[in-house]
């Protein structure tokens, strides 16, 4: 339902994204909530055959749009062609999934007795100490997953902010791993029923906006 100003509840999901990042700073275990951001788009693509999550419900895309458009923090330049090319998008997705797999492996090692690494890794290189957080009341592997997963989410947020500043506000949507995965799922599920793989499998609005379509 729309309110009197023409806004829908889904227009405020950027608040959810912002709250998630803030809560993770105070209690790393909130990082587990980020699994919703991973699972929901995949479920929508698998069972619904559409990218409606990217088009309408992605809080990160909304947040980048708000910062770039409303607060004028973006140069509003067209992103370079390589950024939206299939080889870069799926290459970045592959790299992202490899790093995600390594994060899961670290969690498994802690599960089997390795010591907990109480740090958040930013940009897959920089370990940020996170010693102020007490995770002693949960199993070590639960804490390890939270540290690793929050590092993944924080890294992707930083990349989104950088490309927002350098290019158009939602340039992150052009090469977002979740967007690439859901696009691939839609194509496999729907087949080539129409040009562009059908209306339900169209590129998300954020990506189209980022390249000026």
């Amino acid at each position: 339902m729309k309110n009197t100003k023409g806004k829908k509840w889904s227009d405020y999901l950027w608040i959810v994204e912002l709250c998630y990042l803030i809560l993770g700073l105070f209690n790393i275990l909130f990082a587990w909530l980020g699994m919703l951001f991973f699972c929901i788009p995949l479920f929508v693509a698998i069972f619904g055959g559409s990218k409606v999550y990217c088009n309408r419900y992605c809080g990160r895309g909304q947040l980048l749009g708000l910062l770039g458009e409303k607060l004028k923090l973006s140069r509003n330049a067209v992103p370079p062609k390589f950024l939206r090319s299939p080889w870069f998008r799926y290459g970045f997705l592959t790299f992202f999934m490899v790093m995600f797999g390594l994060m899961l492996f670290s969690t498994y090692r802690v599960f089997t007795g390795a010591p907990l690494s109480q740090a958040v890794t930013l940009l897959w290189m920089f370990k940020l100490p996170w010693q102020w957080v007490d995770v002693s009341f949960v199993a070590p592997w639960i804490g390890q997953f939270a540290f690793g997963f929050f590092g993944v989410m924080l890294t992707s947020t930083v990349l989104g902010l950088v490309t927002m500043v350098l290019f158009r506000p939602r340039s992150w949507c052009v090469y977002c791993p979740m967007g690439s995965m859901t696009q691939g799922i839609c194509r496999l599920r729907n087949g080539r029923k129409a040009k562009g793989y059908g209306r339900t499998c169209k590129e998300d609005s954020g990506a189209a906006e980022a390249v000026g379509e």
Side-chain angles (χ1 to χ4, degrees):
M1 262 183 94
K2 293 185 177 181
N3 60 25
T4 55
K5 293 185 179 180
K7 291 284 188 178
K8 295 182 285 188
W9 66 268
S10 56
D11 295 325
Y12 297 97
L13 289 174
W14 62 269
I15 298 175
V16 176
E17 177 76 16
L18 190 60
C19 287
Y20 172 77
L21 295 171
I22 293 173
L23 288 172
L25 295 176
F26 291 98
N27 191 326
I28 197 67
L29 295 179
F30 280 110
W32 278 85
L33 294 176
M35 287 300 296
L36 294 173
F37 303 146
F38 265 54
C39 295
I40 292 175
L42 295 178
F43 288 155
V44 170
I46 292 170
F47 298 107
S50 77
K51 288 174 63 68
V52 67
Y53 181 90
C54 294
N55 294 333
R56 191 178 304 168
Y57 302 114
C58 179
R60 176 173 295 171
Q62 291 181 11
L63 181 61
L64 293 174
L66 179 67
L67 294 174
E69 296 170 9
K70 301 296 184 182
L71 301 184
K72 308 297 183 183
L73 298 180
S74 173
R75 292 175 61 242
N76 203 33
V78 177
K81 289 183 178 180
F82 82 86
L83 202 66
R84 57 184 188 268
S85 64
W87 68 265
F88 182 86
R89 290 176 59 208
Y90 288 103
F92 183 74
L93 170 61
T94 301
F95 173 77
F96 189 90
M97 294 308 296
V98 168
M99 301 308 293
F100 186 77
L102 291 175
M103 183 270 290
L104 292 179
F105 180 69
S106 297
T107 301
Y108 171 76
R109 289 185 67 249
V110 172
F111 178 76
T112 57
L116 171 68
S117 175
Q118 198 161 331
V120 169
T121 304
L122 181 65
L123 297 173
W124 302 288
M125 293 184 293
F126 308 105
K127 287 190 178 293
L128 308 179
W130 228 259
Q131 278 81 13
W132 68 84
V133 178
D134 180 20
V135 293
S136 60
F137 56 94
V138 296
W141 71 269
I142 294 177
Q144 185 63 58
F145 181 89
F147 284 113
F149 193 75
F150 194 69
V152 170
M153 298 297 286
L154 199 59
T155 292
S156 56
T157 299
V158 169
L159 292 175
L161 291 171
V162 170
T163 49
M164 175 207 71
V165 172
L166 294 178
F167 310 115
R168 289 188 172 163
R170 295 188 63 176
S171 293
W172 164 254
C173 300
V174 172
Y175 65 101
C176 169
M178 291 306 304
S180 298
M181 276 195 287
T182 54
Q183 184 72 12
I185 291 170
C186 286
R187 289 176 174 179
L188 289 172
R189 185 184 186 280
N190 297 329
R192 296 176 179 268
K193 294 180 180 179
K195 185 178 180 180
Y197 300 98
R199 293 182 61 189
T200 58
C201 195
K202 64 182 179 179
E203 295 286 352
D204 62 274
S205 59
E209 172 190 311
V211 296
E213 295 177 356

